[in-house]
Amino acid sequence: MAALHTRGFEDLERIGDWESFYPEPLHLFRVPDPLPRTFAVATARVGDGAEALGVLLSPSFDPKREVLLATGSPVSGAADFRGVTRILRREAELLEIEAELTHSGFVVLVDAFDDAWKGWLDGESASVLRANLAFRAVAVPAGRHLIRLAYHPRSVTVGLLLSAAAAALGLAAILAGRRSGADAP
């Protein structure tokens, strides 16, 4: 983990300091037993805002066994739940995850949440949920599944539509100019 201060990180192993363009050096710490990039959990709590931050910081919250969703209903998962996930394909705007769960649960991805992420579970549309305040999750039934996440920001769609309209207007102006030139004596 990188930080511009050391306060609050006394329990972490400090690996080193690097000069940066900030007045303070950049401090690098080793995080023991970090969560993997993607994993499966069976249990979900629900909360948002300051309340959610309190839940995440509570010693009773175990991110290896549960997820905090911004909306929805709490889910009590099976005690004997097991889940395995594996990233099959990872690009800037596309992600494919293979998941195998013994019972229904959630596949959590430790990547930034944005409303522009769209999801599919085995080819069918699936909701991409905001998890643990900042990450993404998808509800997944028991069994082996393929999860596909694609980033489709509205700004790209609007930009393409505006570009197509501008190109059509430009083409219309060129054709109108040629017609009026052909009509001239």
Side-chain angles (χ1 to χ4, degrees), residues 67-169:
V67 64
L68 179 65
L69 302 175
T71 60
S73 300
V75 175
S76 296
D80 61 342
F81 174 87
R82 286 186 327 279
V84 177
T85 64
R86 181 171 64 107
I87 295 175
L88 300 176
R89 184 174 172 192
R90 185 165 191 267
E91 299 173 11
E93 297 173 353
L94 177 68
L95 187 74
E96 290 181 349
I97 302 169
E98 179 181 66
E100 188 165 359
L101 284 63
T102 56
H103 300 13
S104 62
F106 300 87
V107 171
V108 180
L109 178 67
V110 184
D111 273 351
F113 174 83
D114 188 299
D115 285 330
W117 282 100
K118 305 301 176 208
W120 294 267
L121 180 67
D122 299 327
E124 300 291 324
S125 181
S127 296
V128 179
L129 309 168
R130 185 161 53 93
N132 299 345
L133 286 177
F135 304 135
R136 290 178 262 160
V138 175
V140 178
R144 177 179 239 136
H145 302 281
L146 177 65
I147 301 162
R148 182 181 171 104
L149 302 173
Y151 190 65
H152 294 291
R154 287 187 199 119
S155 59
V156 171
T157 303
V158 170
L160 287 172
L161 290 173
L162 289 174
S163 296
L169 287 173

